[in-house]
Amino acid sequence: MTRRVHNFCAGPCTLPLQVLEEVQQEFIDFHGAGMSLIEMSHRSKEYDAVHTEAMQLAGEVFEAPQDFEVLFIQGGATLQFAMVPMNLLEAGQPAGYVNSGAWAKGAIRDAGFYGDIYTAWDGADADYMRMPASREIEIRDNTRYLHVTSNETIGGIRITEWPDVGVPLVADMSSEYMARSIPWDKFDLVYGGIQKNLGPAGMAVVFVRKSALAHSNRALANYLRYDVHADKQSLFNTPPMFAIYLLGKMLRWMRDKGGLAAVEQEAAGKAAMLYEVIDTSGGFYNCPVAEANRSHMNVVFRLPSEDLEARFLSEAAGHDLVNLKGHRSVGGCRASIYNAMPSESVATLADFMRRFASDHG
Ligand code: PMP
């Protein structure tokens, strides 16, 4: 019997068993070609069908309007920290960034090499435990876009109300990609790494408004140009075929579950199970995040002492509840419950947490 644990890793993370089994089944002889997908040409008819379907499904399942291009780009979300300003900023145009925590800081740092970047709101005073209201965000004249990190994977905070600030938004949605609907009118660009809700690591899906491409920077290495990826339907060079193939399978899996609305509702329900345990534990568990901004994907919590946290993690692992340690920069515990995490696994964790609290509280 294959062993499968309850894997609460923050990314790469658990994927649906059904998808893994399908991949396993068709791996060695892909659709009768006598070779696997990763051994064939990216110009073959078999791969072409995989690629085209993944692109179509991305538009469909994300409910992206026709005036957005979908791009598959290697380098994860991290490369987008640089590609966004490189492509979108023209001379004399600043861009505002919401500094909401560790990942926003990464985006701000890298963007600073390529444009006039300013911090439009800084969460430092709140210890990065909340997101800003629109009125707190300061937008300077001529701002090209406001960059937000919709869900801080390490801090466990999410934007509840998208900012309404009169300039187009750009969002890093890596850790809640395909887990919430996107009000496309507000955005010029949305990006995310796919290794949480959508497949393996190493690639980003980028949605960019076609009108924004009309002015994008051409004085860049080809791979760094959004317009080149758009013109070539993300086949400018050899694409990460296996990642795109799995992305297609994940998108189909989510479409069959009922699409975005169903997934979003399920995510809220799974998160509520854990926050309820935390809130009714009489202070044994503590979630430091402002209630309105609690993440639906990364539930962070502390126990009364580091000793108890260590014990919690080791006893949890004994019950096959693994990867619950908080990020090394902040400590504590974190349960990442992305789309492929079954409700039953979240319920198993919730039960374990209740038992642990009553044994040690
Ligand atoms: N942004 C966020 C919100 C993330 O969680 C991560 C990865 N955990 C990244 C960016 C970086 O993604 P990648 O490793 O794919 O470059």
Side-chain angles (χ1 to χ4, degrees):
M1 266 285 278
T2 308
R3 177 162 173 254
R4 298 281 295 168
V5 295
H6 308 284
N7 176 12
F8 293 92
C9 192
C13 59
T14 198
L15 293 174
L17 183 57
Q18 176 194 327
V19 167
L20 297 177
E21 283 174 345
E22 268 179 44
V23 171
Q24 184 181 45
Q25 213 206 337
E26 54 193 27
F27 188 66
I28 290 179
D29 177 9
F30 186 77
H31 293 197
M35 64 181 94
S36 73
L37 181 89
I38 58 170
E39 295 169 296
M40 62 179 59
S41 166
H42 59 295
R43 310 284 175 198
S44 62
K45 71 174 182 350
E46 289 88 353
Y47 179 68
D48 189 58
V50 167
H51 192 90
T52 307
E53 189 190 16
M55 293 203 94
Q56 272 164 1
L57 279 169
E60 180 191 328
V61 184
F62 274 86
E63 299 170 7
Q66 288 299 317
D67 50 343
F68 278 80
E69 293 278 2
V70 54
L71 313 176
F72 299 156
I73 304 179
Q74 301 190 52
T78 302
L79 185 60
Q80 297 311 307
F81 293 168
M83 278 182 72
V84 167
M86 273 181 194
N87 279 269
L88 297 193
L89 292 182
E90 291 178 44
Q93 275 185 322
Y97 278 67
V98 168
N99 183 4
S100 49
W103 291 109
K105 285 189 173 84
I108 292 168
R109 179 195 177 276
D110 286 359
F113 293 113
Y114 303 104
D116 177 8
I117 303 304
Y118 67 92
T119 301
W121 181 79
D122 197 328
D125 290 348
D127 218 8
Y128 301 104
M129 285 299 131
R130 72 174 181 93
M131 289 288 188
S134 296
R135 65 186 145 69
E136 297 176 288
I137 300 172
E138 286 174 31
I139 299 292
R140 294 189 190 156
D141 287 350
N142 207 25
T143 291
R144 171 67 186 84
Y145 62 80
L146 176 73
H147 181 283
V148 295
T149 308
S150 75
N151 185 78
E152 284 283 355
T153 322
I154 296 174
I157 60 172
R158 89 192 273 256
I159 288 178
T160 317
E161 300 287 333
W162 293 107
D164 211 348
V165 287
V167 299
L169 300 182
V170 168
D172 171 3
M173 291 193 67
S174 297
S175 47
E176 57 174 9
Y177 226 14
M178 240 332 270
R180 75 187 292 182
S181 57
I182 300 172
W184 292 98
D185 285 357
K186 285 178 172 286
F187 290 92
D188 264 9
L189 192 143
V190 173
Y191 68 91
I194 66 168
Q195 70 272 33
K196 292 141 194 328
N197 280 327
L198 292 164
M203 195 181 91
V205 174
V206 177
F207 292 94
V208 57
R209 190 177 284 284
K210 287 179 183 166
S211 59
L213 282 182
H215 304 280
S216 65
N217 187 3
R218 266 67 173 156
L220 294 169
N222 269 324
Y223 198 82
L224 301 176
R225 285 174 53 177
Y226 288 137
D227 65 310
V228 167
H229 290 287
D231 285 349
K232 304 287 185 195
Q233 281 90 43
S234 300
L235 274 164
F236 164 67
N237 69 338
T238 318
M241 296 157 69
F242 191 72
I244 291 169
Y245 158 69
L246 254 165
L247 167 71
K249 288 210 179 288
M250 287 299 293
L251 287 167
R252 208 173 324 137
W253 179 78
M254 281 183 256
R255 185 191 61 188
D256 295 347
K257 269 169 91 80
L260 254 185
V263 167
E264 190 166 4
Q265 203 184 356
E266 193 180 309
K270 287 189 296 190
M273 279 194 238
L274 298 183
Y275 289 121
E276 209 225 297
V277 176
I278 293 167
D279 291 342
T280 57
S281 69
F284 184 79
Y285 298 109
N286 169 42
C287 171
V289 172
E291 205 168 325
N293 296 125
R294 287 172 164 185
S295 172
H296 290 180
M297 298 282 119
N298 312 101
V299 178
V300 299
F301 54 95
R302 305 288 323 216
L303 277 73
S305 69
E306 287 189 7
D307 282 351
L308 272 174
E309 282 171 355
R311 194 150 174 193
F312 174 86
L313 295 171
S314 110
E315 284 190 27
H319 289 81
D320 279 351
L321 297 157
V322 307
N323 285 325
L324 286 161
K325 196 170 167 46
H327 190 268
R328 58 190 182 281
S329 61
V330 292
C333 302
R334 170 176 58 171
S336 294
I337 48 173
Y338 298 114
N339 292 350
M341 175 63 67
S343 291
E344 297 73 30
S345 291
V346 180
T348 305
L349 173 61
D351 286 345
F352 171 77
M353 286 173 70
R354 270 194 212 95
R355 271 200 320 276
F356 190 87
S358 80
D359 289 351
H360 301 277

